[in-house]
Amino acid sequence: MAHRLPDPPRPERRQWPRNWIAYDRYRVIHENSIESLIAEGIVTADDTRFRGRSEHGRLTQIDLQGALETTSGGLLHVRNRLAVDTRGGRPYVLTNLYRYHGRAPLRGRFIDVFRYDNAHGDTGTLHRHIHDSEGIELGQEPLPLEELPPLSRIVRDVEFYARYLSEAGA
């Protein structure tokens, strides 16, 4: 019988800014975080990209989309939507849609190990989908925005689950 996947270890938390931030600073923080994970040997491939949308020549939205692969074969699909506000001619961004979908290999296929999202409303509807060791969803837990781990922690979590399933002989 399948069992609920264990919670990954939770080290001291660093918070990602939850307010408006200059877009160039947001990109630097993101890129430095991914470079650190690559240097540590946790991330083996990254195809996440920023894609902007404009209306009438004005940047109105930016999406961060793509996937990250981890050493133990985990996959993290990312889709975040950032609202844009121009201040002094400089774009500032605020994430208003989160989707992190963690998957891990199990017996020659990929199973779901978690998903964070607020796809059905504003950030007040953010929640985490909980799965068992066969990838079956067991339910959802509400998640206050201030408790959403930063992307670097979420990448470590998908690596934790990929390693856990591999070591469990699943």
Side-chain angles (χ1 to χ4, degrees), residues 42-90:
I42 294 169
V43 168
T44 58
D46 167 28
D47 78 354
T48 57
R49 300 290 178 262
F50 289 94
R51 294 175 177 89
R53 295 184 187 178
S54 298
E55 289 181 19
H56 310 292
R58 186 177 148 272
L59 186 62
T60 58
Q61 177 181 304
I62 299 168
D63 290 339
L64 171 61
Q65 292 180 271
L68 296 140
E69 295 178 28
T70 70
T71 298
S72 298
L75 289 173
L76 180 66
H77 298 276
V78 177
R79 177 154 187 230
N80 290 347
R81 179 160 295 151
L82 294 82
V84 178
D85 183 30
T86 304
R87 301 175 182 182
R90 185 175 179 198

Side-chain angles (χ1 to χ4, degrees), residues 73-145:
L75 289 173
L76 180 66
H77 298 276
V78 177
R79 177 154 187 230
N80 290 347
R81 179 160 295 151
L82 294 82
V84 178
D85 183 30
T86 304
R87 301 175 182 182
R90 185 175 179 198
Y92 281 71
V93 295
L94 177 67
T95 307
N96 59 17
L97 177 83
Y98 294 89
R99 183 165 187 230
Y100 299 110
H101 187 171
R103 306 188 80 212
L106 178 68
R107 295 187 294 273
R109 63 187 176 92
F110 279 89
I111 66 164
D112 296 334
V113 291
F114 64 79
R115 189 170 81 235
Y116 293 97
D117 71 66
N118 66 307
H120 308 292
D122 64 18
T123 56
T125 67
L126 186 65
H127 56 276
R128 180 175 188 230
H129 296 254
I130 307 300
H131 294 82
D132 72 10
S133 58
E134 294 292 323
I136 305 298
E137 185 172 330
L138 299 174
Q140 301 175 15
E141 296 176 343
L143 184 70
L145 181 59

Side-chain angles (χ1 to χ4, degrees), residues 4-70:
R4 178 182 167 148
L5 287 168
D7 290 330
R10 288 285 173 228
E12 184 179 321
R13 297 183 56 155
R14 287 184 304 161
Q15 280 294 327
W16 178 262
R18 303 288 184 208
N19 49 11
W20 292 95
I21 182 173
Y23 177 49
D24 56 347
R25 183 160 189 263
Y26 183 102
R27 285 187 69 133
V28 166
I29 292 169
H30 171 80
E31 290 162 3
N32 287 346
S33 176
I34 300 302
E35 287 172 11
S36 278
L37 292 166
I38 291 169
E40 284 182 58
I42 294 169
V43 168
T44 58
D46 167 28
D47 78 354
T48 57
R49 300 290 178 262
F50 289 94
R51 294 175 177 89
R53 295 184 187 178
S54 298
E55 289 181 19
H56 310 292
R58 186 177 148 272
L59 186 62
T60 58
Q61 177 181 304
I62 299 168
D63 290 339
L64 171 61
Q65 292 180 271
L68 296 140
E69 295 178 28
T70 70

